Amino acid sequence: EVQLVESGGGLVQPGGSLTLSCAASGFTFDIYALTWVRRAPGKGLVWVASIDGDSGATTYADFVQGRFTISRDNAKNTLYLQLNSLKTEDTGIYYCAKSRYSRYRGPSSAIADTDGNRGQGTQVIVTP
């Protein structure tokens, strides 16, 4: 059974930083692409970033604009998301997700590819 447990969220002021972690188990970690998605209050899921399972190549949503960094430690079965220069609009619940594929397949399928394989989320609140 796939298990994904996020941690590291919290309350931070605009311009601040957080590091989110996701401990994974129940699958061969280094094979699959991994993704962070988020849900702002009252809104739907939005893809944030992905990292491929084979090459470790990374891809980010346009709104990230160089502020976030996704990484993975295959030895620790852990996914990370470093959040810098946070804005109030970054507020939301951040979910770690496992793709059914080894590579990110584009923004139109990023969320569907992870259906059924997401954690419970960790909340990020950015407020003055």
Side-chain angles (χ1 to χ4, degrees):
E1 179 187 2
V2 172
Q3 291 195 332
L4 301 161
V5 180
E6 303 92 337
S7 62
L11 182 69
V12 63
Q13 293 183 334
S17 298
L18 286 172
T19 301
L20 308 184
S21 299
C22 173
S25 62
F27 62 99
T28 306
F29 184 80
D30 57 357
I31 290 177
Y32 296 96
L34 299 171
T35 291
W36 287 97
V37 300
R38 73 184 188 189
R39 187 191 301 274
K43 302 290 182 63
L45 282 174
V46 172
W47 169 69
V48 176
S50 293
I51 184 166
D52 288 352
D54 47 5
S55 67
T58 58
T59 314
Y60 298 91
D62 289 343
F63 65 80
V64 169
Q65 296 177 326
R67 301 180 297 124
F68 299 172
T69 302
I70 187 172
S71 61
R72 63 194 296 162
D73 186 335
N74 290 338
K76 295 183 178 180
N77 283 12
T78 302
L79 177 71
Y80 302 96
L81 186 67
Q82 176 67 41
L83 309 172
N84 296 326
S85 303
L86 282 161
K87 306 176 181 180
T88 55
E89 54 262 42
D90 294 319
T91 293
I93 300 175
Y94 285 69
Y95 300 90
C96 164
K98 168 194 167 293
S99 174
R100 292 193 291 275
Y101 304 95
S102 62
R103 296 184 179 180
Y104 167 71
R105 303 197 306 144
S108 61
S109 59
I111 291 176
D113 285 353
T114 65
D115 281 348
N117 289 305
R118 302 189 194 106
Q120 294 301 305
T122 186
Q123 188 165 42
V124 172
I125 300 174
V126 186
T127 185

